[in-house]
Amino acid sequence: MTATQLLFLIAIFFITSVISVITGSTSLITVPAMLQLNIEPRTALATNMLALTFMSVGGTLPFVGKKAIDRSRLPIMIFLTLLGSIIGALFILVVPSKSMPLIISILMIAVAAFSITNRNAGIVSRIKSPSPIAEIGGYVATFLLGIYGGFFSGGYITMLTAAYVSLFRMTFVQAVANTKFINIFSSLIATIIFFTQGIVDYKLGIILSITMFIGGIVGSRVALRLSNIWLRRIFLTTVIALALKTLLDFAVLH
């Protein structure tokens, strides 16, 4: 890899990490960028997962002490995320990912539809607690999306944010804080599995990890200064744009 190509990746990873702290969908941009430079697909996914771990740590730090992280649900969410991510990471070693863009697009369009039809979701804290069914649904979503996050991660945080807003009745600020914290465990366990398989590019991974760690801190500080209304607008715009782009890419390839 040339110095110019490396600088290109660093710029892409930094800008994406700053924005995706709010919106999620980091891997929908970073992984294709790596593939453009002819990095082997499994190595790209594994190295990207390492960088995501550091981005999540950086993205979580500014929220510490802000009372945005749901400590009561945290142990169960972490356990389910770890379990799901292990399953997902093992899938990547045996399952082809050609159909993933279509699945991602469908799910993200569903997220956009929910956000449009539920205008107040995530903007203000709701007085009523979620129903038992919604509470269980939030944990089920955590587990199932954990599998997906360990497999590819593209759109993982976007969908998890939507799930926490709708099912756990979090505001967008709370959802951003919790999903960033949860993603530390999702990315870390998947990265450990990829390390054991020898498919992580260590040198590139360290550079991109430092880049995304800094980007995560910057992005979270921006998120804390924005209102829930603006976070919702940015989130929704990004979801629709990425869903359409992914669908278009899938159509071109087929």
Side-chain angles (χ1 to χ4, degrees), residues 67-75 77 168 170 174 178:
K67 297 182 179 180
I69 297 176
D70 190 341
R71 297 179 184 274
S72 63
R73 295 187 177 105
L74 209 53
M77 292 193 298
F168 286 151
M170 294 180 181
Q174 292 169 335
N178 282 275

Side-chain angles (χ1 to χ4, degrees), residues 135-195:
E135 187 79 13
I136 293 173
Y139 291 126
V140 171
T142 300
F143 173 67
L144 294 179
L145 289 173
I147 295 176
Y148 175 72
F151 179 79
F152 175 58
S153 187
Y156 164 55
I157 292 301
T158 307
M159 292 181 282
L160 193 62
T161 298
Y164 285 178
V165 167
S166 60
L167 298 171
F168 286 151
R169 297 175 179 264
M170 294 180 181
T171 64
F172 272 103
V173 170
Q174 292 169 335
V176 168
N178 282 275
T179 54
K180 278 293 155 290
F181 189 79
I182 291 296
N183 200 37
I184 295 175
F185 298 91
S186 173
S187 301
L188 179 60
I189 193 66
T191 300
I192 291 173
I193 292 175
F194 297 150
F195 270 133

Side-chain angles (χ1 to χ4, degrees), residues 65-103:
K66 301 294 183 179
K67 297 182 179 180
I69 297 176
D70 190 341
R71 297 179 184 274
S72 63
R73 295 187 177 105
L74 209 53
I76 300 177
M77 292 193 298
I78 291 174
F79 172 75
L80 293 174
T81 296
L82 287 172
L83 182 60
S85 296
I86 291 172
I87 296 172
L90 293 175
F91 275 165
I92 202 174
L93 303 176
V94 295
V95 178
S97 56
K98 292 181 180 179
S99 60
M100 293 310 294
L102 179 61
I103 297 173

